[in-house]
Amino acid sequence: MKPPSSPLLDEADLAPDTSGQPASARYGDVYASRAGALGQARAVYLQGCGLLDAPARWAGRDRFTVLETGFGLGVNFLATWAAWRADPSRCARLDYVSLELHPVRAADLLRHAPPELQPLAAELAAHWPPPVRGLHRIELGDARVHLLLAFGDATDLAPRLKLAADALYLDGFAPARNPALWTPELFRALARLTRPGARAASYTVAHAVQKGLSQAGFELALQPGWGGKQQRLQATFNPVWKRTRHTLPEPWPAALPRHAVVIGAGLAGAACAHALARSGWTVDVLEAGSHPARGGSAMPAGLAHLQPSADDNLLSRLTRAGMAALRRALPPDAADLAQFVPATLTPADAAEARRMQDWRRTVQLPPEMAQWTADGWQVDSAILANQAVCAAWLASPRISLRCGVQIARLQHDGASWNVLDAAGNSLARAPQIVLATALQTPHLLAASGLIPGPEWLPLHALRGQAQALPARFWPALRNLRQPWMGSGYVLRLPEAAVRQLQGADHADVETDWLLIGATFETGDQPLTPEQAWQHNRAGLSALTTSPPRPDHAGALRHFAGVRAASTDRLPYCGPLADLAPLRAEPQRAAGKQLHELPRLPGLAVCAGLGSRGLTLAPLLAETLVAGFEGHPLPLETDLADALDPARVALRRLRHGAAS
Ligand SMILES: Cc1cc2nc3c(=O)[nH]c(=O)nc-3n(C[C@H](O)[C@H](O)[C@H](O)COP(=O)(O)OP(=O)(O)OC[C@H]3O[C@@H](n4cnc5c(N)ncnc54)[C@H](O)[C@@H]3O)c2cc1C
Ligand SMILES: C[S@@+](CC[C@H](N)C(=O)[O-])C[C@H]1O[C@@H](n2cnc3c(N)ncnc32)[C@H](O)[C@@H]1O
């Protein structure tokens, strides 16, 4: 057994029962009716939730969301996906969210999938995530079927999901053997995620289940059972109380076009534009520089990586989700702009050395995510060619890019936002704006009168410098096989970054480059390029004490950029609080929770990515788009809250009220 906080979960302990049915030794129960898993899936769950009716409950709709307790061998999911595929009047998008504490292995999914569902099972198995606590998003069926696997204890996770379910499959093991999945507390948490009128279904009609569901607002209608059972449970969510604290995510209003203006074409803006375009939006990207990736993103390359910690803290969870989102966001043929190769993580100082030693005891992750080796910690990482990655994300017929335009202010005029330059000329308008303007974000908001001053979304500048050097000039690093991080870092540039260094005429014959970084400069006195190089070289002293060739200086290329960092070092990602009504009643406002704050319609920020833009940009972009669309949130709400830009406003309002 793992400790309760371990991100690595105990996997399912599948064993056939006496009749050869897949069963769990831990729970002493079979995964599905002995009369057949597929038959049960159809008769109990699909039928119970009205998905085999003509027309099915998803017919003609934009989207339909199923929420399940107990993913198990995925037969309910595969049967639902198959029924959806076979229905010409199916909804455009199917979301399926399933809670699972003991994931099975991919091979088990395949072994136990009913023969007619094998092709779907194979597609699922190819994307199957490791048994790690948290949310895992999988896009299937040409990205029209979205599976969100919530790995962990349902009681702990359900209150941290955000979604609006149209159907609820209750499929734990028998209540007597698996009581945790049938508690009134869990039913209440599920009810908070369920749309009024949604149907729920289960194979069990145990008295406690009926009672718990009725108390949570479900009207029961027991039906004749299946596979030897007298009855099955069917219910409709019809709460008599009004929803107060927990609002369901709303779909993008049908009256408004899916059109956004993204301001800023760095990693954050490019990732947001890409995620929006993938979701069917038309996107105008406006950028002050002459090209994308000119601001803080102007390094030739950088490293995205997972950050382990002893207690699996917020950053560890975010970087894990970030690496998964990065893989999803990159085009399939991305080898020249992204190389996924584990990075060696070594301590920057004595305190970190002690922490990393501790991790040997505390960090429990699959080896492909983090493992201790003779060379130190090896963590999941990717070297990315910044400009090529931004270009790939912006290369969509739905995205139009305008460079060389400086936005001065935003103005809301009823249904849409007007984007203005300093002379007051309108540069674009759209019902949705994403500000991905790094350090400029608070100033733009303040100039638009949307926050009283930049301190309501504080960002500070962390200047950084890095150098590229042809590998042959540093013989000791010439055979560097994987990125190395300590108090500095060194990595080998991917092909696309080398092409960019070579320039248009490819006059430079160097093909093998190292990138060595990076400084963190806070004061007014930036380091000179020479000082920065000395600093970055010194950062590699734990890797090699052997110097570069004496004639290396002429071959060095220097790069400088500015990172935008928030005070708590976490990005700002989400809609902004509408401060006018809050500041009018500060005492009331101070008593509110984040999710209760009113928001400015159609205005979101994605900024303050600090030194983790490559690791986090695609995750932030996915989270923003899920919020706009009202799709199931791909992050637990505690993580989303930690990124919410309104956290600063709330802190200030509370502080103001207290003083
Ligand atoms: C030396 C260095 C090394 C780094 N190494 C790594 C690394 O290894 N891994 C990693 O993950 N991260 C790294 N980073 C950090 C990473 O580069 C940033 O997190 C990332 O670039 C932030 O992206 P962004 O899009 O938020 O900001 P930016 O790239 O700064 O983009 C903001 C864009 O908005 C535009 N803009 C601003 N105001 C306006 C306006 N008013 N009108 C129009 N356009 C506007 C700007 O021109 C700019 O292009 C490094 C940073 C530096 C400086
Ligand atoms: C009957 S099986 C589900 C079968 C599945 N729906 C299918 O179609 O194959 C029950 C599942 O609930 C999971 N489970 C049990 N307790 C849980 C808990 N507290 N939180 C989340 N999942 C749990 C089990 O690991 C098991 O996979």
Side-chain angles (χ1 to χ4, degrees):
M1 281 282 281
K2 312 265 176 338
S5 64
S6 162
L8 193 61
L9 294 169
D10 289 312
E11 289 182 305
D13 51 354
L14 273 169
D17 78 341
T18 46
S19 64
Q21 297 287 319
S24 158
R26 184 178 286 117
Y27 292 97
D29 198 5
V30 283
Y31 272 77
S33 163
R34 291 191 175 85
L38 181 55
Q40 175 181 294
R42 286 180 176 147
V44 173
Y45 293 101
L46 285 145
Q47 187 175 322
C49 289
L51 302 179
L52 299 180
D53 295 356
R57 292 187 129 227
W58 54 39
R61 294 180 46 173
D62 270 354
R63 84 266 311 264
F64 190 89
T65 301
V66 179
L67 173 60
E68 178 182 56
T69 51
F71 188 79
L73 290 163
V75 178
N76 288 346
F77 167 65
L78 296 172
T80 306
W81 180 8
W84 173 86
R85 271 201 345 167
D87 182 354
S89 61
R90 62 185 169 260
C91 52
R93 167 179 167 132
L94 176 65
D95 277 288
Y96 195 104
V97 183
S98 190
L99 293 145
E100 178 54 62
L101 178 57
H102 300 296
V104 299
R105 297 196 170 90
D108 294 320
L109 289 174
L110 281 171
R111 188 171 314 125
H112 296 290
E116 62 189 280
L117 301 180
Q118 279 293 333
L120 301 188
E123 192 178 336
L124 172 61
H127 291 85
W128 192 242
V132 170
R133 204 178 284 281
L135 306 191
H136 303 269
R137 248 196 86 194
I138 304 177
E139 291 181 8
L140 300 160
D142 293 329
R144 290 182 66 195
V145 177
H146 295 249
L147 174 61
L148 188 66
L149 289 165
F151 282 174
D153 191 326
T155 308
D156 165 54
L157 267 177
R160 293 188 291 127
L161 296 178
K162 189 165 180 190
L163 61 104
D166 302 291
L168 192 54
Y169 295 181
L170 301 168
D171 197 11
F173 290 118
R177 296 166 187 269
N178 187 192
L181 221 43
W182 304 98
T183 62
E185 182 193 5
L186 179 58
F187 292 145
R188 278 197 299 275
L190 297 173
R192 282 196 289 269
L193 302 172
T194 304
R195 232 187 263 285
R199 288 259 281 268
S202 183
Y203 67 89
T204 178
V205 291
H207 177 67
V209 173
Q210 293 192 43
K211 189 169 164 208
L213 281 174
S214 319
Q215 285 174 345
F218 289 84
E219 274 175 6
L220 306 185
L222 303 190
Q223 301 291 324
W226 184 86
K229 285 203 173 288
Q230 281 202 332
Q231 292 180 306
R232 66 177 167 87
L233 188 146
Q234 186 174 300
T236 303
F237 186 48
N238 192 8
V240 285
W241 56 89
K242 209 172 143 275
R243 213 176 273 276
T244 48
R245 286 188 59 232
H246 295 267
T247 48
L248 292 170
E250 291 290 333
W252 181 255
L256 293 178
R258 282 183 165 78
H259 174 208
V261 172
V262 174
I263 307 177
L267 287 160
C272 289
H274 172 74
L276 283 161
R278 284 205 70 205
S279 213
W281 289 60
T282 309
V283 191
D284 296 323
V285 180
L286 304 181
E287 163 59 45
S290 56
H291 293 285
R294 281 284 129 149
S297 310
M299 296 300 121
L303 204 59
H305 69 93
L306 187 143
Q307 181 61 52
S309 63
D311 56 350
D312 200 35
N313 62 20
L314 273 178
L315 191 61
S316 297
R317 292 165 57 204
L318 279 173
T319 55
R320 228 167 31 232
M323 291 303 292
L326 174 63
R327 287 184 163 89
R328 281 192 291 275
L330 289 170
D333 50 351
D336 70 330
L337 52 96
Q339 284 165 8
F340 284 87
V341 47
T344 306
L345 202 58
T346 58
D349 53 35
E352 198 166 70
R354 279 193 297 279
R355 272 202 301 276
M356 284 193 180
Q357 278 298 335
D358 248 15
W359 293 355
R360 291 176 65 179
R361 215 171 19 87
T362 51
V363 171
Q364 299 195 1
L365 285 171
E368 67 273 22
M369 289 189 164
Q371 66 175 324
W372 174 258
T373 69
D375 298 328
W377 280 94
Q378 307 289 314
V379 298
D380 182 24
S381 93
I383 308 173
L384 298 154
N386 294 12
Q387 287 212 7
V389 166
C390 284
W393 284 340
L394 292 169
S396 157
R398 293 186 198 275
I399 299 177
S400 67
L401 168 69
R402 268 169 76 193
C403 290
V405 279
Q406 180 86 33
I407 282 64
R409 175 162 86 72
L410 304 168
Q411 206 172 49
H412 200 239
D413 59 7
S416 63
W417 289 94
N418 198 357
V419 179
L420 304 167
D421 68 10
N425 299 313
S426 174
L427 296 170
R429 72 175 54 237
Q432 179 67 56
I433 300 286
V434 178
L435 274 182
T437 40
L439 278 182
Q440 289 304 310
T441 311
H443 303 288
L444 259 171
L445 290 169
S448 310
L450 299 170
I451 55 176
E455 67 282 6
W456 284 73
L457 201 72
L459 282 174
H460 58 272
L462 279 174
R463 193 175 134 88
Q465 299 188 59
Q467 294 80 25
L469 180 69
R472 66 191 177 87
F473 283 96
W474 202 330
L477 296 180
R478 206 169 168 176
N479 296 319
L480 183 85
R481 276 176 296 123
Q482 57 185 122
W484 181 93
M485 282 181 288
S487 54
Y489 65 76
V490 55
L491 51 87
R492 178 164 258 114
L493 286 185
E495 273 174 46
V498 170
R499 276 201 300 279
Q500 180 205 328
L501 280 187
Q502 288 173 331
D505 55 0
H506 294 251
D508 199 329
V509 291
E510 301 289 353
T511 55
D512 187 8
W513 289 77
L514 300 172
L515 183 74
I516 298 136
T519 63
F520 280 82
E521 303 165 41
T522 46
D524 301 336
Q525 294 244 298
L527 298 180
T528 63
E530 181 50 32
Q531 287 168 327
W533 170 233
Q534 293 310 328
H535 172 277
N536 290 344
R537 266 182 68 175
L540 303 190
S541 57
L543 175 64
T544 177
T545 47
S546 128
R549 267 171 37 182
D551 59 343
H552 74 273
L556 272 180
R557 302 272 188 97
H558 296 271
F559 297 88
V562 181
R563 312 168 184 91
S566 69
T567 317
D568 60 14
R569 290 285 198 273
L570 290 171
Y572 297 127
C573 171
L576 284 166
D578 184 355
L579 290 176
L582 292 170
R583 294 182 75 219
E585 286 188 284
Q587 289 292 346
R588 255 189 94 195
K592 288 194 182 291
Q593 302 292 315
L594 264 181
H595 66 267
E596 297 171 314
L597 298 185
R599 305 294 170 136
L600 289 168
L603 181 58
V605 300
C606 183
L609 279 65
S611 52
R612 297 192 191 270
L614 289 163
T615 317
L616 298 180
L619 176 70
L620 304 181
E622 274 190 8
T623 305
L624 268 191
V625 175
F628 298 167
E629 289 280 357
H631 292 151
L633 204 66
L635 277 181
E636 294 96 314
T637 49
D638 60 321
L639 291 181
D641 286 355
L643 304 174
D644 189 338
R647 68 189 186 271
V648 183
L650 192 58
R651 220 178 294 136
R652 290 187 71 89
L653 289 164
R654 285 181 180 163
H655 189 253
S659 58

